Amino acid sequence: MADCEVKKIATRESYGNALVELGKKNPNVVVLDADLAGATKTSTFKKEFPDRHIDCGIAEANMTGIAAGLSTCGKIPFVSSFAMFAAGRNFEQVRNSIGYPHLNVKIGATHAGITVGEDGASHQCLEDVALMRTIPGMTVIVPSDDIEAKAAVMAAAETEGPFYMRFGRAAVPVINDRPDYKFEVGKAVVVKDGTDMVIFANGVCVAEALGAAEKLAADGINAAVVNVHTVKPIDKDTILEFAKKTNRVFTVEEHSVIGGLGSAVCDVLSENYPVKVKKIGVYDRFGKSGPAGALMKEFQLDAEGIYNQIKAAL
Amino acid sequence: MTNKELQLTAANVRKGIVTAVHSAKSGHPGGSLSAADMFTYLYFEEMNIDPKNPKDPNRDRFVLSKGHTAPGLYSTLANRGYFPVEDLTTLRKLGSYLQGHPCMTETPGVDMSTGSLGQGVSTAVGMALAAKLNGDSYRVYTLTGDGEIQEGQIWEAFMFAGAKKIDNLTVIIDNNGLQIDGKIEDVCSPYPIDKKLEAFNFNVICIDGHDFDQIRDAFAKAKECKGQPTAIIMKTTKGKGVSYMENQAGWHGKAPNDEEYEQAIKELDEQIAKIGEA
Ligand SMILES: Cc1ncc(C[n+]2csc(CCOP(=O)(O)OP(=O)(O)O)c2C)c(N)n1
Ligand SMILES: [Mg+2]
C-alpha cells in the first residue's frame, strides 16, 4: 500500500472523538479514566464534558467496580485504560462485577498489541481478546480503522450489555471509507472476495492482510480477506461460507495465537466444517521495545510477513 | 562517598537519563530525574551490591515499582559499572537489552521486572520475606511513585509488611506531586501519606529527596528500626536538574528534541562545574 496516499488515524483517536459525539446525544454517558486521559484520548471528552469525565487515578480495578455501580443506576459508563490494565489487570473485576451481572458497561481498551511500540512487553497486551471472550455475554470488538472504531463505540452505546472494544496506539490506514460499508455487531465484513483461500483478520491486521492479498494476487493466488471485527458473538455464517468456498483458511491478528481470533475461528470450524487452519499472530511469546512498524515487521505481521507466512504454509 | 561525590555522580546519572530518553525519542524523564539523587545514593552508598556479580544471592535487592522511570535505574546501573554508559543510547530500540520498562531477564542489575504500576512493592515484600525465612541478612529497597500509591495493591503490600513486621524492607515514595493527568491531589489525593503509613505500622521518615544528609540519615534510621518496615517519603521536584522540565506534568513521558537536549546537557554540565568548584 502506498502509505503516503492513505489517510491514517489511530483508533484511540477515533474512540475519543466518538465519545464526544455520544456525550452530546446521551447525557447518561460517562467516561472513566485512570490517569491516562491523554493517551486513551478520553481527554477529548473531558474537554467537552468535564463533569462527566471521572479520573479515578491509577486504580484500574477500583475504576471497573465504580463503572459497574454507575451502570446499575442508569449511567452508561465507558471505562478507559490500556488493554493490559483494562482487560489484564481487571480481568476478575470485569468477570464478576460486570460480566456475571451482565451490566451495561463499555470497556474502551487502548494501546493493545505490539504496536504500543517502545514501552515494550509490560505494556503490549496480547492476551486481552482471549480473556474477554471467555466471559459469558461479553461482546468483543477489534475495529480495523477509524470508521469502524467510531461505529463500534456508537453501537456499544445503543446495545444493552457489556462490551470490550480494542483500540490501538499507532495510526492505521482508513480502509472502510466505501459507500457500501456497514457496521453491524457480530457481522463480518468481506473486504475482498476471493476463491483460493480466505484470510480472516481484524484490527490493524486487516490492512496488512489486504496488502498480503495483493502480493498473493501477483503470484496468481486469489485470496479473500474477511474482517472479523466482532470476535464475540462471532459471525459463524460468514466464516463457514468462506471456509467452504476456499477450503484454505488463514487467520491474522495482532494478538497471541492462543485464544484470540484464530482460536475463535477454529472453534467454529472444528465443530462445523473441519478444515486446515493456519493461525498467524504472536506465537506464544512476549512483545518487546521498538518502533511499532519495525515490530510488525519483526513479528511478521506486516503485509510482507503475512505473505511470507502464507506462502510457507502452502 | 562524600556529599560532593554523590552530587557529581547524580549529575552524571541525570545526563545519562536525558541522553537515553533523547536517543529513544520516548520515555519518562520527569520521574527519573526526581529520583536521581535517591538512585545514586542507593547504588553508590547504601546497598550492598557488586556490579561484577549482579546475581550474588547475598546482595541487597532493589525493586523499581515505578518501572516507567527505568532510564533513572539504567543510568545509575551504567554509571555504577553494570554495563557500558554508551549503551544507554540503545534504550527502547529494537534488540536492545534496555527495554522500555525494567526486565530482569534482559538487564544485568535489574532485580525485578516492572512497569505495570502497583505490583513492585509486593514483590519487594516477597524478597524481604524470603530473607526472613532463609535467615539471610540482605535488605530490600523499593521505590514507588506518589501517583502509583493510588493502586490498591500497594496498600495490600503495606498492610502485609506492617502486620508481619518486615523490618528488612525500606519503601521509598517519590513525592514529586505529579502524575500524568496533573497534580496528585487533584486527580485522586493520597494525602496524608505519612499518617496512612503510620497506621499500617510503618516507621515513617519524611525527607527532602535532594538532600544527601537527610537521605543518609533516613537510611541509618531505617536500619536501626526493628519490628517495623520503614517508609521514606521524600519530597522531590519532578524533572529536577533540567530547568524547563521541573514541576511540569507534561515532561512525565516525553523526550526532549535536539535543541532541548542540548540545553539540558548544558545545564547539567554547569551544575557539574559548580559542584566541582564548591
Ligand atoms: C497499572 C498501570 N496503570 C497505568 C500505567 C501508566 N502510567 C505510567 S506512569 C503513570 C503515572 C505515574 O505517576 P507517579 O507514580 O507519580 O510517577 P512519577 O511521578 O514518579 O513519574 C501512569 C498512569 C501503568 N504503567 N501501570
Ligand atoms: Mg509522581
Side-chain angles (χ1 to χ4, degrees):
Chain A
M1 272 200 185
D3 275 3
C4 46
E5 292 161 26
V6 182
K7 195 174 140 206
K8 281 186 159 190
I9 181 163
T11 50
R12 60 177 165 139
E13 301 263 4
S14 325
Y15 176 53
N17 294 336
L19 288 176
V20 174
E21 262 177 64
L22 267 184
K24 286 177 188 158
K25 275 198 212 156
N26 191 333
N28 280 324
V29 167
V30 290
V31 174
L32 287 82
D33 155 58
D35 195 31
L36 287 170
T40 59
K41 300 296 169 192
T42 61
S43 51
T44 322
F45 181 90
K46 187 180 181 179
K47 223 176 264 167
E48 293 277 332
F49 307 104
D51 297 342
R52 287 195 269 150
H53 180 278
I54 303 150
D55 196 333
C56 300
I58 313 168
E60 297 82 4
N62 182 48
M63 168 171 71
T64 301
I66 291 174
L70 285 163
S71 76
T72 65
C73 303
K75 294 293 173 197
I76 306 174
F78 280 74
V79 178
S80 322
S81 186
F82 294 169
M84 185 60 77
F85 315 129
R89 187 187 211 86
N90 291 355
F91 171 71
E92 198 252 329
Q93 280 82 5
V94 173
R95 192 245 185 220
N96 274 327
S97 293
I98 295 174
Y100 183 36
H102 198 70
L103 293 176
N104 196 29
V105 175
K106 319 298 173 184
I107 303 164
T110 69
H111 294 64
I114 52 172
T115 50
V116 161
E118 287 80 357
D119 269 355
S122 62
H123 286 55
Q124 294 167 341
C125 196
L126 300 168
E127 307 86 8
D128 52 327
V129 174
L131 288 167
M132 289 297 119
R133 83 182 181 95
T134 62
I135 299 174
M138 178 68 73
T139 298
V140 180
I141 302 183
V142 185
S144 60
D145 76 345
D146 177 54
I147 291 166
E148 195 156 86
K150 279 189 190 147
V153 175
M154 296 303 167
E158 282 158 17
T159 317
E160 188 71 23
F163 270 64
Y164 179 79
M165 290 164 287
R166 185 188 214 230
F167 305 115
R169 169 176 185 258
V172 291
V174 176
I175 56 172
N176 294 309
D177 51 351
R178 309 186 309 265
D180 61 329
Y181 175 82
K182 188 165 158 276
F183 179 84
E184 211 181 307
V185 174
K187 188 86 194 85
V189 179
V190 181
V191 192
K192 177 187 172 300
D193 207 347
T195 48
D196 298 334
M197 65 172 62
V198 57
I199 308 171
F200 295 114
N202 64 16
V204 301
C205 289
V206 178
E208 302 301 335
L210 270 174
E214 272 176 36
K215 289 177 197 292
L216 289 163
D219 296 346
I221 300 167
N222 184 10
V225 177
V226 177
N227 169 10
V228 189
H229 52 64
T230 306
V231 181
K232 189 180 186 181
I234 200 152
D235 185 351
K236 278 187 191 158
D237 294 345
T238 305
I239 289 171
L240 282 172
E241 180 195 330
F242 275 82
K244 285 176 182 168
K245 184 159 129 181
T246 62
N247 275 305
R248 196 70 187 90
V249 178
F250 293 87
T251 62
V252 191
E253 61 198 308
E254 188 203 8
H255 185 277
S256 170
V257 290
I258 302 170
L261 171 67
S263 297
V265 167
C266 287
D267 288 350
V268 173
L269 293 177
S270 62
E271 285 189 2
N272 300 287
Y273 188 75
V275 60
K276 196 169 170 189
V277 178
K278 162 75 180 153
K279 295 191 283 181
I280 295 173
V282 177
Y283 301 107
D284 200 18
R285 60 182 284 203
F286 292 103
K288 56 167 140 174
S289 289
L295 287 170
M296 287 292 276
K297 201 176 166 67
E298 162 108 359
F299 282 75
Q300 289 205 295
L301 287 174
D302 61 344
E304 175 89 30
I306 295 167
Y307 167 78
N308 288 337
Q309 293 199 64
I310 289 176
K311 288 291 276 196
L314 289 177
Chain B
M1 271 191 168
T2 63
N3 284 3
K4 187 171 163 173
E5 286 166 329
L6 286 165
Q7 283 162 4
L8 278 173
T9 308
N12 281 311
V13 165
R14 288 192 164 92
K15 280 177 75 174
I17 291 167
V18 290
T19 301
V21 174
H22 168 255
S23 168
K25 297 191 172 69
S26 70
H28 300 83
S32 296
L33 292 167
S34 63
D37 297 310
M38 179 51 76
F39 282 128
T40 301
Y41 191 85
L42 282 167
Y43 278 90
F44 285 82
E45 192 71 7
E46 173 66 15
M47 286 179 16
N48 175 29
I49 41 106
D50 175 9
K52 297 284 162 289
N53 191 8
K55 293 276 178 209
D56 181 353
N58 296 317
R59 74 190 185 283
D60 287 346
R61 266 73 167 177
F62 175 71
V63 177
L64 182 59
S65 196
K66 55 168 198 157
H68 59 284
T69 59
L73 177 60
Y74 295 160
S75 180
T76 308
L77 291 173
N79 277 283
R80 187 69 177 82
Y82 282 85
F83 47 83
V85 174
E86 295 73 50
D87 287 2
L88 289 173
T89 54
T90 70
L91 175 71
R92 293 176 157 245
K93 291 186 178 154
L94 197 62
S96 172
Y97 63 90
L98 301 178
Q99 290 291 295
H101 292 78
C103 178
M104 67 184 286
T105 57
E106 293 272 344
T107 312
V110 171
D111 291 324
M112 185 64 207
S113 299
T114 52
S116 180
L117 293 171
Q119 303 190 20
V121 178
S122 300
T123 65
V125 170
M127 293 174 188
L129 183 62
K132 297 257 175 212
L133 294 172
N134 296 333
D136 291 333
S137 61
Y138 64 81
R139 295 184 65 81
V140 183
Y141 302 83
T142 181
L143 176 65
T144 81
D146 52 1
E148 182 184 4
I149 61 173
Q150 290 160 345
E151 287 286 4
Q153 187 182 342
I154 288 279
W155 298 92
E156 296 172 26
F158 287 169
M159 192 181 296
F160 182 96
K164 307 292 175 187
K165 305 182 171 64
I166 311 284
D167 54 13
N168 51 348
L169 174 77
T170 304
V171 176
I172 303 143
I173 299 175
D174 186 355
N175 189 198
N176 57 28
L178 295 173
Q179 55 189 114
I180 296 180
D181 285 349
K183 291 187 187 161
I184 59 168
E185 63 261 46
D186 293 343
V187 174
C188 188
S189 179
Y191 293 125
I193 303 169
D194 53 350
K195 292 206 176 66
K196 289 189 176 76
L197 278 158
E198 274 162 19
F200 279 53
N201 192 36
F202 268 68
N203 167 39
V204 179
I205 305 168
C206 297
I207 62 165
D208 173 347
H210 303 305
D211 181 322
F212 283 111
D213 282 332
Q214 292 189 33
I215 295 175
R216 198 184 298 273
D217 191 49
F219 282 116
K221 285 186 182 137
K223 279 205 203 87
E224 279 160 22
C225 179
K226 299 288 167 237
Q228 283 183 306
T230 291
I232 299 175
I233 304 170
M234 56 169 194
K235 266 262 169 265
T236 62
T237 302
K238 201 158 176 171
K240 176 78 177 177
V242 179
S243 61
Y244 59 87
M245 290 188 188
E246 289 191 0
N247 282 319
Q248 299 298 318
W251 281 102
H252 168 84
K254 190 172 90 175
N257 62 27
D258 291 349
E259 204 178 311
E260 289 160 342
Y261 171 63
E262 272 172 29
Q263 191 190 328
I265 293 297
K266 194 173 140 241
E267 288 182 15
L268 290 166
D269 278 335
E270 280 165 13
Q271 288 164 35
I272 287 171
K274 220 162 129 195
I275 299 163
E277 283 161 19

